[in-house]
Amino acid sequence: MSEPASSVVPHHVAIVMDGNGRWATRRFLPRIAGHKQGLDSLTRCIKACLARGIGVLTVFAFSSENWNRPPEEVSGLMELLALSLAREVPSLKANGVQLHFIGDRQRLSVKVQAGLTQAELSTAGNQRLVFNVCFNYGGRWDIAQAAQKLAGRGETITELSLDRAMALAHVPDPDLLIRTGGELRISNFLLWQAAYSELHFSDRLWPDFDEAALDEAIAVFRTRERRFGQTSAQLSGQPAPSTPKAA
Ligand code: IPE
Ligand code: IPE
Ligand code: MG
């Protein structure tokens, strides 16, 4: 850790993009209008991550529990996923973004499933930004599917083997986890991977989360001391006050 803390950009940023519904309701619009605006906010956020040299962006787009919403909202979100594939993938591809969809795909339409695979294949060679979209995702689902995978192969379950079987095994754990929309909870996102993520809760609704809000989250991240169980003194390379001096 030779870099001064003040210049560090988090390598992996994860975001619970919450508040689309409230954004729309406050404008007397249908909730789906908020989700559409949320997609525009996501496009802006990806550009901002590219400009800031962030290596991995992981976003929560649809949770395992979001199926419990009114059917018209669920179908609107499925349509938005299909629309975003057609509308956004070409520019993601051109901008060096490597796309991954994380979650249980079996409940999605065959056409959308094919679209997700195609989008992943067409961006697989890109290296500038790894972009993970968690869709029909839950942290509990991920832990369970990883355990099932290991059991199926007859492998021993250890922290390392489970970690490697998780849906996000291709990226390191998030450094910074942001939740917009003012709620102070994790809502089944990255239960395993967020063990040592720095948490940042923003009152901004997701459609209003702009570059300045991202910069504020990064600035707060820079002030944090990540100790991973160690003491402050250990991190700065100094002996702890109680450490006896060597003879
Ligand atoms: C987050 O926004 C997007 C999804 C969960 C799909 P919400 O739709 O939860 O917005 P609020 O929390 O109701 O404002
Ligand atoms: C979390 O938001 C899921 C996504 C942002 C996709 P929710 O709005 O579903 O979370 P709860 O229900 O308020 O906990
Ligand atoms: Mg919400």
Side-chain angles (χ1 to χ4, degrees):
M1 296 292 283
S2 55
E3 217 172 350
S6 61
S7 70
V8 173
V9 174
H11 176 67
H12 182 174
V13 175
I15 310 182
V16 179
M17 306 182 293
D18 196 25
N20 294 347
R22 278 164 284 167
W23 184 93
T25 304
R26 282 177 196 176
R27 288 165 178 76
F28 306 101
L29 295 168
R31 290 178 58 88
I32 196 67
H35 295 310
K36 285 186 183 143
Q37 197 68 28
L39 181 58
D40 290 346
S41 186
L42 178 56
T43 306
R44 175 174 61 195
C45 182
I46 295 165
K47 284 196 190 123
C49 288
L50 283 164
R52 284 155 185 75
I54 288 165
V56 184
L57 174 66
T58 300
V59 297
F60 205 4
F62 190 90
S63 75
S64 311
E65 292 75 27
N66 287 148
W67 293 104
N68 297 324
R69 293 194 175 195
E72 62 276 14
E73 182 166 346
V74 171
S75 58
L77 285 163
M78 296 300 144
E79 279 169 31
L80 208 53
L81 173 63
L83 174 92
S84 66
L85 284 174
R87 201 182 82 177
E88 306 296 340
V89 173
S91 76
L92 293 178
K93 195 175 164 184
N95 281 298
V97 178
Q98 185 188 112
L99 195 50
H100 296 261
F101 289 94
I102 310 299
D104 186 356
R105 299 183 188 196
Q106 284 171 22
R107 210 166 154 182
L108 308 179
S109 78
V110 173
K111 196 172 164 217
V112 166
Q113 287 187 41
L116 302 185
T117 307
Q118 181 52 38
E120 287 176 335
L121 288 173
S122 71
T123 60
N126 284 343
Q127 300 293 340
R128 261 183 91 194
L129 174 72
V130 176
F131 176 40
N132 302 307
V133 180
C134 295
F135 199 98
N136 195 18
Y137 168 91
R140 289 177 175 180
W141 163 82
D142 196 11
I143 294 167
Q145 71 78 27
Q148 268 172 12
K149 218 186 270 178
L150 295 179
R153 296 185 204 139
E155 280 180 45
T156 312
I157 294 182
T158 63
E159 285 194 23
L160 188 64
S161 68
L162 254 185
D163 196 61
R164 286 185 177 153
M166 302 288 257
L168 278 173
H170 59 289
V171 288
D173 288 345
D175 300 292
L176 172 62
L177 194 158
I178 300 168
R179 179 172 185 140
T180 64
E183 309 292 357
L184 306 181
R185 57 177 171 257
I186 214 88
S187 299
N188 200 11
F189 191 44
L190 305 180
L191 297 182
W192 176 270
Q193 296 86 352
Y196 271 102
S197 303
E198 293 299 325
L199 306 179
H200 178 74
F201 296 97
S202 166
D203 284 333
R204 294 247 191 148
L205 303 176
W206 174 248
D208 296 327
F209 192 83
D210 57 11
E211 293 90 343
L214 178 66
D215 284 336
E216 190 195 324
I218 294 171
V220 172
F221 171 82
R222 285 173 174 155
T223 67
R224 304 274 178 88
E225 183 180 61
R226 305 188 72 192
R227 291 192 288 276
F228 298 98
Q230 291 190 293
T231 66
S232 249
Q234 280 177 297
L235 295 177
S236 57
Q238 288 161 10
S242 59
T243 305
K245 287 223 168 77

